[in-house]
Each structure stands twice: as structure tokens, then as C-alpha cells.
Amino acid sequence: MTRAGDELFIAAVKPLVDAMGGEMLPPDEAGPDDVVLAWEGTDVVAVRLPQLADSLDHILAAMERKKGKPLADLDRKAKQEVVRVLEARGAFSVRHGVETVASALGVSRFTVYNYLNREKEA
């Protein structure tokens, strides 16, 4: 049985969980890697976070939605900005991150590395 404020709390955190690509489930179904959120001393909802590789795909899809077109259709400067944002978010610490980003941008791995190196030299 849920308390009246619980539904409001769940509604408040849902956009954040969606943005991360997570899944919300009842606290009693939480696994050892899930994060249980409590409100006013009571466990209200559990959040199952995505695997890092899934997070990268989710981030790329969100960036495409925000840009309003496929990332591969962006100009060079916009692609460099995407790489900067992804680097700041740790995208290249994920196994095959460079390859995944290169594919989404429609460029080679070498080009992504050039964008990364250019940023370090600036």
C-alpha cells in the first residue's frame, strides 16, 4: 500500500530515472545493484540503473532527440561539441565507446581520436 506522498515522490524522480535510462520498480523487488529511494523514512521505489554500454546508447539517442536529427547529419563543429560533451560524461571509459560514438557520428575512430586530441591541445 502506498502513501499519498509516495506517488508524488515517484512522479518527481521519474524524469531523472528516464533520462538515465533506468527502470523503476517496487522496493521489495530490488536486487543487490539497485538503488532504493526512501521518502520520509519509508522505502518508496527502487531504481535499476542501466549497464554503462546501454547508458552510452541512451545518451546518444537523447542527444539525437535534442539536436532534432541524426548525429551523423551534424556539421564538423557540432560533432566536435558532441564528442566534448560525451568525454565529459565519461563515454570513452566504456568498452568500445570510441567505436560506438564514431558509428553514431558517421565518422571513423581516427576522427573521434582527433577530436579528443584537439580538445586536449586547446
Side-chain angles (χ1 to χ4, degrees):
M1 185 162 138
T2 61
R3 300 173 306 161
D6 293 356
E7 294 302 321
L8 293 173
F9 177 78
I10 291 169
V13 298
K14 186 175 183 337
L16 176 61
V17 173
D18 289 346
M20 294 184 313
E23 175 187 354
M24 297 171 72
L25 51 146
D28 60 344
E29 294 179 20
D33 295 330
D34 297 332
V35 178
V36 178
L37 302 178
W39 180 250
E40 296 179 344
T42 303
D43 292 345
V44 176
V45 66
V47 177
R48 182 161 295 153
L49 299 172
Q51 298 299 312
L52 283 177
D54 295 336
S55 291
L56 180 53
D57 290 337
H58 188 79
I59 290 167
L60 288 167
M63 291 181 95
E64 278 195 349
R65 283 192 303 276
K66 187 174 183 179
K67 299 287 186 186
K69 60 182 169 181
L71 297 178
D73 293 347
L74 299 175
D75 63 26
R76 183 176 54 84
K77 184 173 177 157
K79 288 179 182 181
Q80 289 171 336
E81 176 62 27
V82 166
V83 169
R84 278 193 294 275
V85 169
L86 291 171
E87 182 179 28
R89 294 183 77 176
F92 302 110
S93 63
V94 175
R95 187 168 186 222
H96 303 297
V98 171
E99 292 86 349
T100 301
V101 171
S103 176
L105 292 175
V107 299
S108 68
R109 288 181 12 237
F110 180 76
T111 298
V112 172
Y113 284 118
N114 278 340
Y115 291 168
L116 289 167
N117 290 334
R118 180 171 293 135
E119 198 47 36
K120 287 180 177 67
E121 294 169 3

